[in-house]
């Protein structure tokens, strides 16, 4: 379960205060994946980062009563000076997993070959994306957070392998996905919500959420 209770979050842009959430309350239960529609610039990434615990609310409480992933494509725990192997084994120990299993999985899925034993700071952007996404899939979560869908790399073989594993993983877990495109949500969730003016309006179906989203567009 993930629950926001009276949560507020805003930023000063230099000219005005931008409100992301205004005393918002909602709950995501395990087994009920949620798709959130939000136009660009409304705070999609901030919302998903708050769910993960990467960003803190200005006020209110966020309760996480399950194992919640970091957002797909984000891996703040990796260290550039450490190798892919070193990072895998470090993160595995943090999550109380077998380092050998995590290393073997990431080495296979990422397909970055000899770079796996080199410092992350030497990776190209594409190799880093493949490594961090592989590492996330090597971990075990009850709820996965997705910001705009699965990150894509230029490696078609990796994208295919990763997408297959992600689909299998999501069959038994709960997903919260935030996007400005309704079509992106259809693949992951039936229940949907709309982020507007600091509030999250939750509906039983994507069609109901899209009606409000299109009306306010």
């Amino acid at each position: 379960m993930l629950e926001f209770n009276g949560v507020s979050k805003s930023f000063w842009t230099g000219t005005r205060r931008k409100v992301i959430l205004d005393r918002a309350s909602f709950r995501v239960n395990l087994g009920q994946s949620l798709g959130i529609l939000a136009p660009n610039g409304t705070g999609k990434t901030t919302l998903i980062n708050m769910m993960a615990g990467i960003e803190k609310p200005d006020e209110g409480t966020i309760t996480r009563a399950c194992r919640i992933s970091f957002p797909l494509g984000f891996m703040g725990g990796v260290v550039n000076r450490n190798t892919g192997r070193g990072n895998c084994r470090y993160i595995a120990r943090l999550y109380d997993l077998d380092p050998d299993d995590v290393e073997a999985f990431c080495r296979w899925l990422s397909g970055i070959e000899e770079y796996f034993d080199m410092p992350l700071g030497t990776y190209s952007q594409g190799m880093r994306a493949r490594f961090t996404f592989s590492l996330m899939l090597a971990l075990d979560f009850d709820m996965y957070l997705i910001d705009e869908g699965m990150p894509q790399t230029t490696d078609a073989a990796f994208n295919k392998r990763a997408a297959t594993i992600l689909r299998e993983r999501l069959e038994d877990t709960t997903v919260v996905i935030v996007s400005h495109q309704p079509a992106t949500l259809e693949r992951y969730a039936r229940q949907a919500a709309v982020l507007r003016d600091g509030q999250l309006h939750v509906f039983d179906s994507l069609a109901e959420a899209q009606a409000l989203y299109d009306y306010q567009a």
Side-chain angles (χ1 to χ4, degrees):
M1 178 270 290
L2 170 67
E3 185 172 35
F4 279 46
N5 186 14
V7 171
S8 295
K9 183 72 173 180
S10 63
F11 296 101
W12 178 250
T13 66
T15 57
R16 65 183 181 89
R17 182 156 294 279
K18 180 180 179 60
V19 176
I20 306 301
L21 289 177
D22 182 17
R23 298 184 296 275
S25 298
F26 61 91
R27 178 172 175 160
V28 182
N29 292 314
L30 290 180
Q32 296 181 335
S33 294
L34 176 67
I36 301 175
L37 286 169
N40 288 326
T42 56
K44 295 190 302 296
T45 298
T46 298
L47 175 61
I48 212 84
N49 285 347
M50 291 172 68
M51 291 179 174
I54 298 170
E55 296 194 39
K56 304 298 183 184
D58 296 334
E59 61 181 42
T61 60
I62 301 174
T63 302
R64 303 173 188 86
C66 61
R67 296 165 299 173
I68 299 177
S69 79
F70 41 84
L72 254 66
F74 175 88
M75 194 64 203
V78 296
V79 180
N80 282 336
R81 68 175 178 274
N82 290 346
T83 64
R85 179 180 184 274
N87 274 290
C88 279
R89 302 185 75 83
Y90 170 71
I91 295 296
R93 293 188 184 97
L94 285 181
Y95 284 90
D96 197 27
L97 298 172
D98 187 328
D100 291 339
D101 290 345
V102 172
E103 177 189 340
F105 179 90
C106 291
R107 191 181 288 272
W108 165 75
L109 181 57
S110 66
I112 57 178
E113 300 179 346
E114 68 272 14
Y115 282 93
F116 198 86
D117 296 303
M118 297 174 64
L120 257 66
T122 65
Y123 290 12
S124 67
Q125 184 176 355
M127 285 190 294
R128 185 183 179 91
R130 286 156 61 186
F131 172 78
T132 56
F133 190 39
S134 297
L135 184 51
M136 194 211 70
L137 288 178
L139 307 179
D140 187 24
F141 299 106
D142 300 312
M143 186 178 296
Y144 282 85
L145 305 178
I146 305 177
D147 186 359
E148 290 289 356
M150 193 189 85
Q152 294 292 310
T153 73
T154 56
D155 189 296
F158 170 80
N159 290 339
K160 184 177 180 179
R161 290 196 305 271
T164 298
I165 294 170
L166 180 60
R167 282 194 300 269
E168 293 173 352
R169 193 70 53 82
L170 297 186
E171 289 178 358
D172 301 317
T173 57
T174 303
V175 179
V176 178
I177 178 170
V178 183
S179 177
H180 70 284
Q181 297 179 329
T184 302
L185 307 186
E186 291 177 353
R187 293 174 289 175
Y188 298 98
R190 293 184 179 179
Q191 188 180 32
V194 178
L195 178 63
R196 286 283 187 177
D197 302 321
Q199 293 297 318
L200 195 71
H201 306 277
V202 182
F203 299 90
D204 292 331
S205 70
L206 176 58
E208 293 174 289
Q210 188 171 351
L212 175 62
Y213 184 72
D214 292 341
Y215 175 76
Q216 294 185 339

